[in-house]
Amino acid sequence: MQVTTSTTTVAVAGASGYAGGELLRLLLGHPHVEIGAVTAAGNAGTPLGAHQPHLVPLADRVLAPTDAETLAGHDVVFLALPHGASAEIAATLSDETLVIDCGADFRLDDADEWASFYGGDHAGTWPYGLPELPGQRAKLQNATRIAVPGCFPTASTLALLPAVSAGLVTDDITVVAATGTSGAGRGLKAHLLGSEVMGQLSSYGVGGVHRHTPEIEQNLRATGAAAPRVSFTPVLAPTARGILATCTAPIADGVTAADVRTAYEKAYASEPFVHLLPEGTWPQTQATIGANAVHVQATVDDRVGRLVAISAEDNLAKGTAGGAIQSMNIALGLPEQAGLTTVGLAP
Amino acid sequence: MQVTTSTTTVAVAGASGYAGGELLRLLLGHPHVEIGAVTAAGNAGTPLGAHQPHLVPLADRVLAPTDAETLAGHDVVFLALPHGASAEIAATLSDETLVIDCGADFRLDDADEWASFYGGDHAGTWPYGLPELPGQRAKLQNATRIAVPGCFPTASTLALLPAVSAGLVTDDITVVAATGTSGAGRGLKAHLLGSEVMGQLSSYGVGGVHRHTPEIEQNLRATGAAAPRVSFTPVLAPTARGILATCTAPIADGVTAADVRTAYEKAYASEPFVHLLPEGTWPQTQATIGANAVHVQATVDDRVGRLVAISAEDNLAKGTAGGAIQSMNIALGLPEQAGLTTVGLAP
Amino acid sequence: MQVTTSTTTVAVAGASGYAGGELLRLLLGHPHVEIGAVTAAGNAGTPLGAHQPHLVPLADRVLAPTDAETLAGHDVVFLALPHGASAEIAATLSDETLVIDCGADFRLDDADEWASFYGGDHAGTWPYGLPELPGQRAKLQNATRIAVPGCFPTASTLALLPAVSAGLVTDDITVVAATGTSGAGRGLKAHLLGSEVMGQLSSYGVGGVHRHTPEIEQNLRATGAAAPRVSFTPVLAPTARGILATCTAPIADGVTAADVRTAYEKAYASEPFVHLLPEGTWPQTQATIGANAVHVQATVDDRVGRLVAISAEDNLAKGTAGGAIQSMNIALGLPEQAGLTTVGLAP
Amino acid sequence: MQVTTSTTTVAVAGASGYAGGELLRLLLGHPHVEIGAVTAAGNAGTPLGAHQPHLVPLADRVLAPTDAETLAGHDVVFLALPHGASAEIAATLSDETLVIDCGADFRLDDADEWASFYGGDHAGTWPYGLPELPGQRAKLQNATRIAVPGCFPTASTLALLPAVSAGLVTDDITVVAATGTSGAGRGLKAHLLGSEVMGQLSSYGVGGVHRHTPEIEQNLRATGAAAPRVSFTPVLAPTARGILATCTAPIADGVTAADVRTAYEKAYASEPFVHLLPEGTWPQTQATIGANAVHVQATVDDRVGRLVAISAEDNLAKGTAGGAIQSMNIALGLPEQAGLTTVGLAP
């Protein structure tokens, strides 16, 4: 689907939500695209500026309905829709159109795992938009359908990938990931009210039931793990953006911290959006806000025989919209870094 | 050291810090004590109100120097001092005086572990102020020296205690604990500035080096674990107060979620300050703010064969000052709940 | 309505909201009351603990419906209901019952102002629960109906009262008050989501349309102002609790900062819940969290000829529930400070 | 000092602070500059990445000392230094070099006002970097010395400018501006610790003593006010970035809200970085984070006869570093919008 960059038109479905807003924020700074339709469900008919006051150049755009007619005719369509809504609208779009789904519908390979974690029928599997996985860039080139990874899987996978792919750890993995509230979306739920969130640390999806669990395991299998078992627990923290994933895994016999360092340096030496921190320095989410960046560090806890690997990302940026655009760039044959930055906004 | 309650005078050393302030906040509402000397190091000579504007009834008290002369003659002396400063001042205080150290100096049994994690000579071991440990209340009655547990060990131990003491788990334990910033104290450090902390999730003390690690293991041994190995990672979160500890451990063969529930119900049925949440409900730190309370919940992740146990507490309250007063009450023969509440301040 | 303290039963209508939760938090620590019915509208039938996890001793109480039958038979009924819902339920309650309305329905004297700011018919006027107003305590003694002030009027009035009552300022008053989000209640509104609130400062109710405006003016008239005109602007800030009100007014000819200090010292010398700060020190909301306390400071800006008076309070405590209980204490002939503290929770 | 864009080299002095970090963040995305020396005082000799982990492309740059030798030879030198440090270093720099001072040293015209608010000798007056002031762009073209406005003056002036310049208001002005903590810089001060700042609203610089007061008045005079008197009060709020300025002024006889709207529309129709919001919509700081943007709205409170004008900005962006780069662009003859965006980062 190689296109001439001057004519790439993109539509964003779900433009009044957080993922949709972040897609538009980044696309406004992308040198090779033109923003076409911006659509919504309940908010259709209202100006985008009423929902996304930070997107000043698009303030007067009126949200169109999310339907086949509106989305037709674009080179790229981003879907930032509630769970389960992508398949139907995607089916209406031309095979020539690059459709990038920020939802979960097309992420999992295994229909049984889908049924177990999401329930209902499996919509299918699209090329998975995590270019840092082994061999994945080739699968994304010229793709016309892409499933954007979940925010936790991106952070967790990139924290563990070098250790797993080098065979430095075994499969009893734990991930505890603190996340900002924007990952839960803009729906009105009592536990997401500012008064409930500020000054608060809380757990949810505990006990192996969070839907991102099989996706993390799928990624680790793609990285070389034979039968990874991931104990995954998310923690809700009082910030709008940011994920900090703390991952541990049993270290293989004889593996040292130096071996780990070498593996991480090698794995990420030429990855444009993964930043291995200097030794002794640990990730901070602030450094990644607004950037298409994952910051990573790892060490070995010799006393207990575990690798500890930690990553930080902006869940809306590299964790969703930035990752989506990175995959778009690859699919369209654009420079992978077009419209993306590794520079975060801090403090 | 049974005293008549009407005459219990208490001094607080380190009254201009966060732990000292929380001790005074709680002591102001304690029905059986009278606040005597309030002392500080660099802030001596200034009014307490300049540092603790919330302690209005004590606003005009002038901070005295932290020295033997000032602290002498009180029934109880709380030490809320920087690491390493307690031993010297404690040595000057009468054996009749109940000295309660909120610092780490006297927490560890093992001199080698002390040397390994803290460096230098081990000051000694005092009765450990976690009454919920098996048999611990008896050790605290009539004690005249008490070491207050660290905030992370209190949260982690109480999350795991029922499972460990019932033999439901084995020893490869992981703890990831998100904490508010007040746990780091009031010292001036760049990474604790508001601009660095807000909107930020970050790691520190990673890789098995945090000083609370051997203390958690010591507590788990006291609870019945043979050789617990704890992978402990703290996470700094944007709130002043609160710890949420996410703990996992391999579940023993055949143990079910129902077994776990039964063990937790039994362990905490008569603990006044540990609140086992209703099934399916997970801890939130907001519910514990200002309270001498730890909220706990646990389940089994059957897919990976791990217990997941989570606790929430206010690091300054049950995690430090509240726990200290609970132990004081026991040592003095006062009602254990005197001056303490299980009701948090939310939202 | 003098009652024997041992038998005072209280009901709280609207117990699943923030004001209702704060009433219950304080009533749990009140030595002279017993908590009877706790009621809700949509949440009736669910356990209180599902909504107020910090109120552990009441966790298993099931919320009853807010109706006449449930509320009957209590000595005191607190109404913490949405705007406009109080009048109907209050009409069903005995004249012997002390009914304390935390809503706006009965605050304003003037039916025209009611119509102008609230619309619709004026329900009436109840004794106004701000005991610090001149002569107000006498009006509250033995009252059986009390209207709790709005949170902004409490803060603004107490910032300005000494200057107004001493005739030190003239009537062109400005108030800009930053507030935490809990003042907006627990209703599900997009702009109150944590993701929208954190990292955010925003305005609402600008231009003289906020409903607390005529109430502030009414209070200033009660304090001695002839025809106060108040330009009032609220600002929403990223914290759950707290109001900081910055008030200015033209200083009368020849009035000095020393005159102002004298007036404030005199006005508040014996007020138990208003704390005039030491000279040169300015209010901080943290110092008032959870306390029935307003902290006040004032000075004169000679360059521009304006008094600047600033107050801090916890909008849920002294600003709503604490103030309500203070008025209850007066009405019932209990000690005014029963169940209330001036000690805030900080940090 | 017209330069060819391909050769513009810039140095940033004070690169380890917040203003310096924001300058570098923006300059990294500027199409016409190359970043030369980055300097610091106490942090000289350490890598920039240790202080600014978000500036990944510059992580390995070692901070040089802030001295004449290091700064010499650049086309542009930005000074982001503590108060009082700019004059000395500026004196060493060539007249050909464009020196842009983010500090206060050269902002005020009047030596008496300088002495009154800052104390000591007045260093002088440089062209003032607020291009939106009447006639100011002409003064900045080819300038070689520019004083960047204070963050509060930028917000306050742009809120009031259209009303003042159209003669719609008289001179008794009040400004209450809530600000994030980054405006106070990165120095270690107890009241800026995260534990003190979160959950906190507080006042400082009250009573007409804040140093930005005369600068606001100077700007209003430049806008046409005869003798503006500004009562200015800052409020510290729990966010890293953002200023929300609430400004009021007596409305002139007969002026209506429609007149105000017309004046604001006219004043800002062609200003690239001032965004007049749709009627009925009020500014939010989130919408401006990271952007070179001030969002403005105004109305008339007829009851009290005052204009209420509110502005939002990011204090580090348009309030400091963005404004500095905007002025640089004008001085160098570059497109005014080069390297700047009007799109904020939200949520």
Side-chain angles (χ1 to χ4, degrees):
Chain A
M1 217 207 101
Q2 197 77 19
V3 296
T4 55
T5 61
S6 58
T7 62
T8 302
T9 57
V10 302
V12 174
S16 59
Y18 294 141
E22 185 71 353
L23 282 163
L24 290 168
R25 184 182 75 83
L26 294 170
L27 292 167
L28 278 166
H30 195 293
H32 304 306
V33 307
E34 186 183 331
I35 297 173
V38 291
T39 79
N43 292 320
T46 62
L48 185 64
H51 310 283
Q52 312 281 18
H54 60 303
L55 303 177
V56 173
L58 302 173
D60 297 331
R61 287 282 193 99
V62 175
L63 288 161
T66 300
D67 58 27
E69 189 181 346
T70 305
L71 296 175
H74 295 84
D75 298 311
V76 184
V77 174
F78 289 97
L79 303 177
L81 303 173
H83 167 65
S86 296
E88 189 181 355
I89 193 76
T92 72
L93 296 169
S94 160
D95 289 351
E96 302 288 300
T97 303
L98 172 56
V99 182
I100 301 181
D101 183 21
C102 295
D105 299 20
F106 299 97
R107 290 175 190 158
L108 292 188
D109 295 336
D110 188 299
D112 289 344
E113 284 196 334
W114 177 270
S116 167
F117 279 86
Y118 289 89
D121 290 338
H122 186 215
T125 308
W126 287 359
Y128 188 72
L130 191 61
E132 293 83 1
L133 286 182
Q136 197 65 17
R137 279 186 176 84
K139 297 179 190 168
L140 294 169
Q141 282 159 10
N142 299 311
T144 59
R145 295 292 185 272
I146 294 174
V148 178
C151 51
F152 290 122
T154 294
S156 307
T157 304
L158 295 177
L160 290 163
L161 183 153
V164 170
S165 68
L168 306 184
V169 293
T170 55
D171 286 348
D172 177 24
I173 291 162
T174 69
V175 177
V176 178
T179 181
T181 54
S182 61
R186 207 169 193 167
L188 298 178
K189 294 171 190 163
H191 76 285
L192 296 177
L193 286 174
S195 299
E196 315 279 316
V197 163
M198 292 183 285
Q200 174 84 296
L201 297 164
S202 63
S203 299
Y204 68 101
V206 184
V209 301
H210 193 283
R211 290 169 166 181
H212 286 181
T213 308
E215 189 181 340
I216 299 170
E217 293 180 349
Q218 174 176 298
N219 291 348
L220 297 180
R221 284 193 300 270
T223 306
R229 288 171 295 127
V230 174
S231 162
F232 172 60
T233 311
V235 171
L236 194 64
T239 178
R241 292 179 181 234
I243 285 179
L244 188 85
T246 303
C247 311
T248 79
I251 202 83
D253 284 349
V255 172
T256 66
D259 298 334
V260 167
R261 182 74 193 174
T262 301
Y264 277 72
E265 284 176 348
K266 193 170 157 193
Y268 291 140
S270 50
E271 279 300 339
F273 296 118
V274 185
H275 178 52
L276 178 64
L277 292 165
E279 288 188 80
T281 309
W282 292 90
Q284 311 179 7
T285 55
Q286 257 196 6
T288 68
I289 299 306
N292 201 55
V294 175
H295 290 200
V296 173
Q297 183 60 285
T299 193
V300 174
D301 180 349
D302 285 320
R303 287 179 67 258
V304 303
R306 279 191 171 264
L307 172 87
V308 187
I310 298 181
S311 62
E313 69 171 20
D314 178 339
N315 55 297
L316 289 180
K318 174 62 175 162
T320 305
I325 290 169
Q326 182 184 354
S327 289
M328 176 194 79
N329 288 341
I330 294 170
L332 297 182
L334 296 169
E336 189 170 332
Q337 286 152 287
L340 300 170
T341 179
T342 61
V343 179
L345 185 142
Chain B
M1 218 208 103
Q2 195 80 17
V3 297
T4 54
T5 61
S6 58
T7 61
T8 302
T9 57
V10 302
V12 174
S16 58
Y18 293 142
E22 185 70 354
L23 282 163
L24 290 168
R25 185 182 75 83
L26 294 170
L27 291 168
L28 279 165
H30 196 294
H32 304 306
V33 306
E34 186 182 331
I35 296 172
V38 289
T39 80
N43 292 320
T46 63
L48 184 64
H51 311 283
Q52 312 281 18
H54 60 304
L55 303 177
V56 173
L58 302 173
D60 297 332
R61 287 282 194 97
V62 176
L63 288 161
T66 300
D67 59 27
E69 188 182 347
T70 305
L71 295 175
H74 295 85
D75 297 312
V76 184
V77 173
F78 289 98
L79 303 178
L81 304 173
H83 169 64
S86 295
E88 188 180 356
I89 193 76
T92 72
L93 296 169
S94 160
D95 290 350
E96 302 288 300
T97 303
L98 171 56
V99 183
I100 301 180
D101 183 21
C102 296
D105 299 20
F106 299 97
R107 289 175 189 158
L108 293 188
D109 294 337
D110 188 300
D112 289 345
E113 285 196 333
W114 177 270
S116 168
F117 279 86
Y118 290 89
D121 290 338
H122 185 215
T125 308
W126 287 359
Y128 188 73
L130 191 62
E132 293 83 2
L133 285 182
Q136 197 65 19
R137 279 187 176 83
K139 297 179 190 169
L140 294 170
Q141 283 160 9
N142 298 313
T144 59
R145 294 292 185 271
I146 295 174
V148 178
C151 49
F152 289 122
T154 293
S156 307
T157 304
L158 295 176
L160 290 163
L161 183 151
V164 169
S165 68
L168 306 184
V169 293
T170 54
D171 286 347
D172 177 24
I173 291 162
T174 69
V175 177
V176 177
T179 181
T181 54
S182 61
R186 207 167 192 168
L188 297 179
K189 294 171 190 164
H191 76 285
L192 297 177
L193 285 174
S195 299
E196 315 279 316
V197 163
M198 292 183 286
Q200 174 85 296
L201 297 164
S202 63
S203 298
Y204 67 101
V206 185
V209 301
H210 193 283
R211 291 169 165 181
H212 285 182
T213 307
E215 188 181 339
I216 299 171
E217 293 180 349
Q218 174 176 296
N219 291 348
L220 296 180
R221 285 193 300 271
T223 306
R229 288 171 295 127
V230 174
S231 163
F232 172 60
T233 311
V235 170
L236 194 64
T239 176
R241 292 179 181 233
I243 284 178
L244 189 83
T246 303
C247 310
T248 78
I251 202 82
D253 283 350
V255 172
T256 67
D259 298 334
V260 166
R261 182 74 193 175
T262 302
Y264 277 72
E265 284 177 346
K266 192 170 158 192
Y268 291 140
S270 50
E271 278 299 338
F273 296 118
V274 185
H275 178 53
L276 178 64
L277 291 166
E279 288 188 79
T281 309
W282 291 91
Q284 311 179 8
T285 55
Q286 258 197 4
T288 68
I289 300 305
N292 200 53
V294 175
H295 290 201
V296 173
Q297 183 61 284
T299 192
V300 174
D301 180 348
D302 284 321
R303 288 180 66 261
V304 303
R306 280 193 169 261
L307 172 87
V308 187
I310 298 181
S311 61
E313 69 172 20
D314 179 338
N315 56 298
L316 289 180
K318 174 61 175 164
T320 306
I325 290 169
Q326 182 185 353
S327 288
M328 175 193 81
N329 288 341
I330 294 170
L332 297 181
L334 296 169
E336 189 170 331
Q337 286 152 288
L340 299 171
T341 180
T342 61
V343 179
L345 185 142
Chain C
M1 218 208 102
Q2 196 78 19
V3 297
T4 55
T5 61
S6 58
T7 62
T8 302
T9 57
V10 302
V12 173
S16 58
Y18 294 141
E22 185 70 355
L23 283 163
L24 289 168
R25 185 182 75 83
L26 294 170
L27 291 167
L28 279 165
H30 196 293
H32 304 307
V33 306
E34 186 183 332
I35 296 172
V38 289
T39 80
N43 292 321
T46 63
L48 185 64
H51 310 284
Q52 312 281 17
H54 60 304
L55 303 178
V56 173
L58 302 174
D60 297 331
R61 287 281 194 97
V62 175
L63 287 161
T66 301
D67 59 26
E69 189 181 346
T70 306
L71 296 175
H74 294 85
D75 297 312
V76 184
V77 173
F78 289 97
L79 303 178
L81 304 173
H83 169 64
S86 296
E88 189 181 355
I89 194 76
T92 72
L93 297 169
S94 160
D95 290 351
E96 303 289 300
T97 303
L98 172 55
V99 183
I100 301 182
D101 183 22
C102 296
D105 299 20
F106 299 97
R107 289 175 189 157
L108 293 188
D109 295 336
D110 188 300
D112 288 345
E113 285 195 333
W114 177 269
S116 167
F117 280 87
Y118 289 89
D121 290 338
H122 186 214
T125 308
W126 288 359
Y128 188 73
L130 191 62
E132 293 83 1
L133 285 183
Q136 197 66 17
R137 279 186 177 84
K139 297 179 191 169
L140 294 170
Q141 283 159 9
N142 299 312
T144 60
R145 294 291 184 275
I146 294 175
V148 178
C151 51
F152 289 121
T154 294
S156 307
T157 303
L158 295 177
L160 290 163
L161 183 152
V164 170
S165 69
L168 306 184
V169 292
T170 56
D171 287 347
D172 177 24
I173 290 161
T174 69
V175 176
V176 178
T179 182
T181 54
S182 62
R186 206 167 193 168
L188 298 178
K189 294 171 191 164
H191 76 283
L192 297 177
L193 286 173
S195 299
E196 315 280 315
V197 163
M198 293 183 285
Q200 174 84 295
L201 298 164
S202 63
S203 298
Y204 67 102
V206 185
V209 302
H210 193 284
R211 289 169 166 181
H212 286 181
T213 308
E215 189 181 340
I216 299 170
E217 293 180 349
Q218 174 177 298
N219 290 349
L220 297 180
R221 284 193 299 271
T223 306
R229 288 171 294 128
V230 173
S231 163
F232 172 61
T233 311
V235 171
L236 195 64
T239 178
R241 291 179 181 234
I243 285 178
L244 188 84
T246 303
C247 311
T248 78
I251 202 82
D253 284 350
V255 172
T256 67
D259 298 335
V260 166
R261 182 75 193 175
T262 302
Y264 277 72
E265 286 177 345
K266 193 171 157 191
Y268 290 139
S270 50
E271 277 301 338
F273 296 118
V274 185
H275 178 53
L276 178 64
L277 291 165
E279 289 187 79
T281 309
W282 292 91
Q284 310 179 9
T285 56
Q286 258 198 4
T288 68
I289 299 306
N292 201 54
V294 176
H295 290 199
V296 173
Q297 184 60 284
T299 193
V300 174
D301 180 348
D302 284 321
R303 286 180 67 260
V304 303
R306 279 192 169 261
L307 172 86
V308 187
I310 298 181
S311 62
E313 69 171 20
D314 178 339
N315 56 297
L316 288 180
K318 174 61 175 163
T320 304
I325 290 169
Q326 182 185 354
S327 288
M328 176 194 80
N329 287 341
I330 296 171
L332 297 181
L334 296 169
E336 189 170 332
Q337 286 152 288
L340 299 171
T341 180
T342 60
V343 178
L345 186 141
Chain D
M1 217 206 102
Q2 197 78 18
V3 296
T4 55
T5 60
S6 57
T7 62
T8 303
T9 57
V10 302
V12 173
S16 59
Y18 294 140
E22 185 71 354
L23 283 163
L24 289 168
R25 185 182 74 84
L26 294 170
L27 291 167
L28 278 165
H30 196 294
H32 304 306
V33 306
E34 187 183 330
I35 296 173
V38 290
T39 79
N43 292 321
T46 63
L48 185 64
H51 310 283
Q52 313 281 17
H54 60 303
L55 303 178
V56 173
L58 301 174
D60 297 331
R61 287 284 194 96
V62 175
L63 288 160
T66 301
D67 58 27
E69 188 181 346
T70 306
L71 296 175
H74 295 85
D75 297 312
V76 184
V77 174
F78 289 97
L79 303 177
L81 304 173
H83 168 66
S86 296
E88 189 180 355
I89 193 76
T92 72
L93 296 169
S94 159
D95 290 350
E96 303 287 299
T97 303
L98 172 55
V99 182
I100 301 180
D101 182 22
C102 295
D105 299 21
F106 299 96
R107 289 175 190 157
L108 293 188
D109 295 336
D110 188 301
D112 289 345
E113 284 196 333
W114 177 270
S116 167
F117 279 86
Y118 290 88
D121 289 340
H122 186 214
T125 308
W126 287 358
Y128 187 74
L130 191 62
E132 293 83 1
L133 285 182
Q136 197 66 17
R137 279 186 177 85
K139 297 178 190 171
L140 294 169
Q141 282 159 10
N142 300 311
T144 59
R145 295 291 186 272
I146 294 175
V148 178
C151 50
F152 290 122
T154 293
S156 308
T157 303
L158 294 177
L160 290 162
L161 182 152
V164 169
S165 69
L168 306 184
V169 292
T170 55
D171 288 347
D172 177 25
I173 291 162
T174 69
V175 176
V176 178
T179 181
T181 54
S182 62
R186 208 166 189 167
L188 297 179
K189 294 170 190 165
H191 77 284
L192 297 177
L193 285 174
S195 299
E196 316 278 316
V197 163
M198 292 183 286
Q200 175 84 296
L201 298 164
S202 63
S203 298
Y204 67 101
V206 186
V209 301
H210 193 284
R211 289 167 167 183
H212 286 180
T213 308
E215 189 181 340
I216 299 170
E217 293 179 349
Q218 173 176 298
N219 290 349
L220 297 180
R221 284 193 301 271
T223 305
R229 288 170 296 129
V230 174
S231 163
F232 172 60
T233 311
V235 170
L236 194 64
T239 178
R241 291 179 181 233
I243 285 178
L244 188 84
T246 304
C247 311
T248 78
I251 201 83
D253 284 350
V255 172
T256 67
D259 298 334
V260 166
R261 182 74 193 174
T262 301
Y264 277 73
E265 285 177 347
K266 193 171 156 193
Y268 290 140
S270 50
E271 279 300 340
F273 297 117
V274 185
H275 178 52
L276 178 64
L277 292 165
E279 288 187 80
T281 308
W282 292 90
Q284 311 179 9
T285 56
Q286 257 197 4
T288 68
I289 299 306
N292 202 53
V294 176
H295 290 200
V296 173
Q297 184 59 285
T299 192
V300 174
D301 180 348
D302 284 320
R303 288 180 65 260
V304 304
R306 279 193 169 261
L307 171 87
V308 187
I310 298 182
S311 62
E313 69 171 20
D314 178 338
N315 55 297
L316 288 180
K318 174 61 176 163
T320 305
I325 290 169
Q326 183 185 352
S327 289
M328 176 194 79
N329 288 341
I330 295 171
L332 297 181
L334 297 168
E336 189 170 332
Q337 287 152 287
L340 300 170
T341 180
T342 61
V343 179
L345 185 141

